[in-house]
Amino acid sequence: MQANSNTVESGAQGLGKSLLEISRLDYVLALFVNGKGDLGAMMGSAVVLRENPQLLMVLSTSLAVLIGCVLFLVWRRGGSAPSKPPEKPTPLVKEEEEEEEDDSGKKKVTVFFGTQTGTAEGFAKALSEEAKARYEKAVFKVVDLDDYAADDEQYEEKLKKENLAFFMLATYGDGEPTDNAARFYKWFTEVEKERGPWLSNLTYGVFGLGNRQYEHFNKVACTVDEALSEQGGKRLVPVGLGDDDQCIEDDFTAWREQVWPELDQLLRDEDDQPSSATPYTAAIPQYRVEIHDPSVPLYEETDPKQNGQAIYDIHHPCRANVAVRRELHTPLSDRSCIHLEFDITDTGLTYETGDHVGVYAENLDETVEEAAKLLGYPLDTIISVHGDNEDGTPLAGSSLPPPFPGPCTLQTALARFADLLNPPRKAALVALASHASDPAEAERLRFLSSPAGKDEYSQWITVSQRSLLEVMAEFPSAKPPLGVFFAAIAPRLQPRYYSISSSPKFAPNRIHVTCALVYGPSPTGRIHKGVCSNWMKYSVPSEKSLDCSWAPVFVRQSNFKLPADPSVPIVMVGPGTGLAPFRGFLQERAALQESGEKLGPAVLFFGCRNRQMDYIYEYELKNYVDTGVVTDLVLAFSREGATKEYVQHKIAEKASYIWNLISQGGYLYVCGDAKGMARDVHRTLHNIVQEQESVDSTSAEATVKKLQTEGRYLRDVW
């Protein structure tokens, strides 16, 4: 050990002497060459450099360049400003508040939207864009109701600070709010009225989006409008009632024209020019589109679960393979109904009995090919769309929806993201007109989109159910750029919703769907093929091929649930595919029965045309009767007798029995067509109450409403 110590010490002394004879530059370059921090190795490198001047010059020049690059990068990142310690991140809400403070000298206006398909959001952005052009002394902000507040307390806290707000609210289904407005709607309609006029500082306007064919036309907008007034808000203009059965854009335009004179009073000074003297033309939205070289790698979607996404929703769907597909109608039927099963094994996606599944399907190949031909682009063109300029600044206007992911082929973009078969909105006609090379075609398109062309638009497009592609074919000179087509002409293809026809107690790893095929002639003679139902019809299940079909899906929760107590009587009305959720109910009741639970009475009213053609799930239903899961199965076959017989007729025949079950605390469920069957069943229920309780019509309707309020009369209608 001693000898080793002496050797080390002696070597160090010799090394120190040699280092004194070498310059600092030689030493630094030796460190650069060796790079290990080993003194002996650096000593050797330094000696070599000392003895080779040319090598020394090359390395010294290289070192100078490297140091210069480092200093340049530091300067680029830091600039001339002194360095600051990293700031603690702040919540998004706080950032928004700070952003608003920058415009503290201006009046603030918030435009909220509750949307299911994007139309309400589009109206909110259109109102905001025009208002910005009219009122320079105000700041307009468009807000998704779901993003407005993290919890109920924050809803109240923030709403109290609003002075001027507009609400664009859609109603869908059985008078229900949209998914992104559901949380706000539930909270706001349940706010205690005893608290007094707590919104006395708020001036507001409401525009509703609905369809007059449905029973609860614009229920959400009307309810919110009344609640805002009751809680102290000042109504700026009467609630707007948009009717999608006609031309909802015209309804919105008429309502908006009422708004401007009222806003003039609030947002303009006496010396300001009136807004009517400032013509406004909405800019046509347009994405920035890049067309890529064929060698560019295409975007590959990843499952949200792989990115740590814990919850699947409309914005983060789950990729699910088609496991089973089979036809439910017999060969005698001239129609089609598909039973489909999505495999959700190991995905983390879950559901409850009675929930809905949203399915993002693709347009048929023939539809996509027609669209590409009309646009004048090859299907294999690789594109990516952007909502900002190349330097990262936002494009003009704020009405652009978020772009779809890319790069992708035009075929993928048209198949997955473009709604090509619905009638075009008037705004789409304006965009087509701006890119029509034939003056006559451009003029015709502008006329159809104008107030003067309202009747012709209604007849030629709405009543005739003319699709976007049909309209484009009628105006062949209109060749919009892809950025305009995807931003302003073809709406985003929306998910289709289906009542889940299974129970997780029976099929925890599968989501069953029961879907009627949409296929038939439109008024123009075109054969209309429903996007999702035709995709399902021709999907390839994994039980037949490893290269199976798949779709992005997600689950939407529903209040269409069985009673917590399985002994409570239930009455189910579900003709045709309205049977879907009740199939799930019966699977759940069978599972409860197997676990030893006592089941209460269960009556199922089912109807179809003919038992030899479209009696779906016949053997399952008979088995449920045999095992006691269904107490009474009542069938209505509308095409077997001399007169048509529907489920509402069968309900009327059993009026006393049905009302007796409901009076015992039973539940009534109705699923199916809202415009016809559900309305007829509601009318039948009203008559039953009136007759069985010996009351007048007003009292009978009050009883029916009470059942709905108590959650014992539930409807899943479309």
Side-chain angles (χ1 to χ4, degrees):
M1 288 292 292
Q2 185 67 36
N4 289 339
S5 296
N6 288 338
T7 303
V8 172
E9 185 178 358
S10 173
Q13 289 174 350
L15 180 62
K17 182 179 178 181
S18 300
L19 285 173
L20 293 174
E21 298 174 356
I22 300 174
S23 71
R24 287 186 175 88
L25 178 60
D26 294 333
Y27 176 73
V28 171
L29 290 172
L31 178 63
F32 176 65
V33 172
N34 183 266
K36 297 179 181 178
D38 182 271
L39 291 176
M42 288 189 293
M43 175 67 186
S45 298
V47 172
V48 171
L49 292 171
R50 184 74 170 175
E51 295 174 356
N52 294 274
Q54 292 179 339
L55 179 60
L56 178 64
M57 182 178 295
V58 171
L59 288 173
S60 61
T61 303
S62 301
L63 180 61
V65 171
L66 178 63
I67 292 172
C69 291
V70 171
L71 291 173
F72 177 75
L73 288 173
V74 171
W75 176 79
R76 281 291 302 271
R77 289 189 178 185
S80 58
S83 60
K84 295 181 181 180
E87 297 180 359
K88 183 180 178 181
T90 53
L92 180 61
V93 174
K94 179 66 176 176
E95 291 177 1
E96 290 175 353
E97 289 174 356
E98 290 174 355
E99 185 178 320
E100 289 177 358
E101 289 174 2
D102 294 339
D103 297 303
S104 56
K106 296 184 177 182
K107 296 178 181 178
K108 300 174 183 61
V109 185
T110 306
V111 186
F112 297 102
F113 66 85
T115 189
Q116 199 71 20
T117 64
T119 305
E121 180 180 5
F123 285 168
K125 290 177 176 178
L127 180 71
S128 175
E129 286 294 295
E130 183 167 355
K132 286 177 184 177
R134 288 174 176 267
Y135 308 106
E136 296 180 357
K137 296 179 181 179
V139 177
F140 289 80
K141 186 175 182 180
V142 177
V143 177
D144 184 322
L145 276 169
D146 201 35
D147 297 335
Y148 184 57
D151 53 44
D152 290 358
E153 290 184 2
Q154 198 175 52
Y155 267 133
E156 180 173 349
E157 178 185 337
K158 296 187 74 173
L159 204 55
K160 281 181 178 179
K161 297 178 182 178
E162 301 287 352
N163 293 311
L164 182 54
F166 292 94
F167 296 81
M168 310 288 121
L169 300 171
T171 299
Y172 85 99
D174 195 28
E176 300 167 33
T178 59
D179 290 350
N180 76 309
R183 189 165 57 92
F184 168 80
Y185 185 75
K186 183 177 186 298
W187 165 76
F188 191 59
T189 54
E190 292 177 357
V191 171
E192 297 179 6
K193 297 180 181 179
E194 288 77 11
R195 71 174 60 197
W198 63 285
L199 290 176
S200 55
N201 292 329
L202 177 67
T203 299
Y204 72 91
V206 178
F207 181 79
L209 297 86
N211 188 307
R212 203 173 289 277
Q213 293 295 321
Y214 290 83
E215 180 181 351
H216 299 288
F217 175 59
N218 271 313
K219 177 184 175 182
V220 172
C222 293
T223 300
V224 170
D225 177 71
E226 292 173 8
L228 287 167
S229 178
E230 290 172 358
Q231 293 164 23
K234 294 180 281 293
R235 186 182 289 112
L236 188 70
V237 292
V239 60
L241 302 177
D243 182 11
D244 198 38
D245 192 50
Q246 295 299 318
C247 182
I248 200 167
E249 287 172 296
D250 286 345
D251 297 331
F252 174 67
T253 299
W255 175 83
R256 187 174 52 184
E257 291 307 310
Q258 297 179 53
V259 168
W260 303 135
E262 301 302 324
L263 282 186
D264 283 351
Q265 302 297 318
L266 299 175
L267 302 180
R268 287 184 177 276
D269 297 330
E270 292 182 2
D271 55 344
D272 287 339
Q273 189 179 26
S275 62
S276 58
T278 311
Y280 173 80
T281 302
I284 295 172
Q286 180 172 1
Y287 289 120
R288 175 172 63 87
V289 175
E290 283 185 88
I291 296 182
H292 299 281
D293 185 89
S295 62
V296 170
L298 300 179
Y299 171 82
E300 292 185 8
E301 276 192 291
T302 56
D303 195 295
K305 188 178 180 183
Q306 297 175 8
N307 297 329
Q309 176 72 31
I311 300 176
Y312 294 107
D313 57 24
I314 189 171
H315 303 297
H316 309 94
C318 169
R319 174 173 174 150
N321 290 336
V322 175
V324 174
R325 174 188 57 78
R326 71 173 187 267
E327 176 61 51
L328 293 174
H329 285 189
T330 72
L332 296 175
S333 175
D334 58 350
R335 301 181 187 180
S336 175
C337 185
I338 304 102
H339 171 86
L340 199 86
E341 297 180 17
F342 286 108
D343 188 353
I344 57 172
T345 305
D346 296 329
T347 63
L349 181 65
T350 60
Y351 71 100
E352 294 180 4
T353 307
D355 282 346
H356 303 143
V357 61
V359 181
Y360 284 99
E362 296 184 3
N363 286 307
L364 294 173
D365 288 345
E366 61 193 59
T367 304
V368 171
E369 290 166 5
E370 182 184 356
K373 183 179 179 181
L374 289 168
L375 288 168
Y377 286 89
L379 282 172
D380 59 359
T381 305
I382 298 177
I383 65 170
S384 58
V385 297
H386 305 274
D388 56 8
N389 295 301
E390 290 186 28
D391 61 2
T393 57
L395 293 168
S398 63
S399 57
L400 279 174
F404 50 81
C408 66
T409 63
L410 180 60
Q411 181 171 20
T412 296
L414 292 171
R416 299 185 61 185
F417 304 116
D419 186 342
L420 304 171
L421 296 181
N422 272 321
R425 300 282 191 193
K426 286 191 171 184
L429 301 184
V430 173
L432 283 172
S434 68
H435 294 283
S437 57
D438 183 333
E441 289 186 6
E443 181 61 30
R444 169 77 172 154
L445 285 164
R446 281 192 290 267
F447 173 74
L448 286 169
S449 65
S450 69
K454 178 179 179 179
D455 292 341
E456 193 157 348
Y457 173 89
S458 175
Q459 289 298 317
W460 195 71
I461 291 184
T462 306
V463 176
S464 299
Q465 299 172 22
R466 224 173 219 94
S467 71
L468 170 61
L469 295 187
E470 285 183 285
V471 171
M472 291 180 67
E474 291 280 344
F475 299 93
S477 79
K479 299 290 185 187
L482 293 179
V484 172
F485 179 77
F486 286 111
I489 296 173
R492 192 64 55 87
L493 190 60
Q494 296 296 315
R496 270 50 174 180
Y497 293 96
Y498 298 92
S499 302
I500 296 176
S501 58
S502 57
S503 166
K505 286 184 169 59
F506 175 81
N509 295 319
R510 298 283 178 86
I511 288 179
H512 295 190
V513 174
T514 306
C515 172
L517 181 69
V518 178
Y519 182 96
S522 70
T524 62
R526 168 182 63 94
I527 299 298
H528 176 69
K529 302 175 183 179
V531 173
C532 200
S533 64
N534 277 268
W535 178 85
M536 290 184 177
K537 173 75 172 178
Y538 299 107
S539 62
V540 179
S542 61
E543 66 178 3
K544 292 185 178 180
S545 172
L546 292 176
D547 186 21
C548 62
S549 302
W550 64 274
V553 304
F554 60 95
V555 170
R556 184 175 69 187
Q557 293 182 339
S558 166
N559 63 353
F560 204 72
K561 305 296 181 188
L562 282 167
D565 180 358
S567 67
V568 171
I570 61 172
V571 178
M572 300 166 284
V573 183
T577 55
L579 177 62
F582 303 131
R583 182 172 180 264
F585 279 17
L586 299 182
Q587 288 179 358
E588 181 155 326
R589 280 173 62 88
L592 291 170
Q593 185 185 61
E594 288 180 10
S595 67
E597 293 282 354
K598 180 183 178 182
L599 302 181
V603 182
L604 172 62
F605 290 89
F606 173 74
C608 62
R609 291 182 300 160
N610 187 299
R611 76 186 77 211
Q612 303 299 325
M613 297 188 212
D614 53 356
Y615 187 177
I616 61 176
Y617 303 117
E618 177 181 2
Y619 298 107
E620 288 184 23
L621 295 181
K622 289 180 177 178
N623 181 62
Y624 286 134
V625 172
D626 294 340
T627 57
V629 172
V630 173
T631 309
D632 198 357
L633 176 61
V634 185
L635 303 172
F637 300 108
S638 62
R639 299 297 189 275
E640 287 192 1
T643 58
K644 294 180 180 179
E645 195 168 46
Y646 297 108
V647 288
Q648 61 266 26
H649 302 134
K650 294 294 185 180
I651 294 171
E653 290 175 6
K654 291 184 172 289
S656 177
Y657 174 48
I658 296 305
W659 185 242
N660 183 49
L661 291 177
I662 295 175
S663 299
Q664 294 174 22
Y667 283 55
L668 172 62
Y669 301 89
V670 179
C671 181
D673 170 41
K675 301 176 185 178
M677 182 277 299
R679 185 174 290 179
D680 291 336
V681 169
H682 183 90
R683 189 179 299 113
T684 301
L685 175 62
H686 176 100
N687 294 338
I688 288 174
V689 174
Q690 192 170 352
E691 293 170 5
Q692 297 297 315
E693 295 293 315
S694 300
V695 295
D696 60 19
S697 178
T698 302
S699 298
E701 190 58 31
T703 300
V704 172
K705 294 295 182 186
K706 185 171 183 289
L707 287 173
Q708 291 178 310
T709 303
E710 293 174 348
R712 293 199 295 123
Y713 173 23
L714 297 168
R715 310 200 313 172
D716 181 1
V717 298
W718 55 85

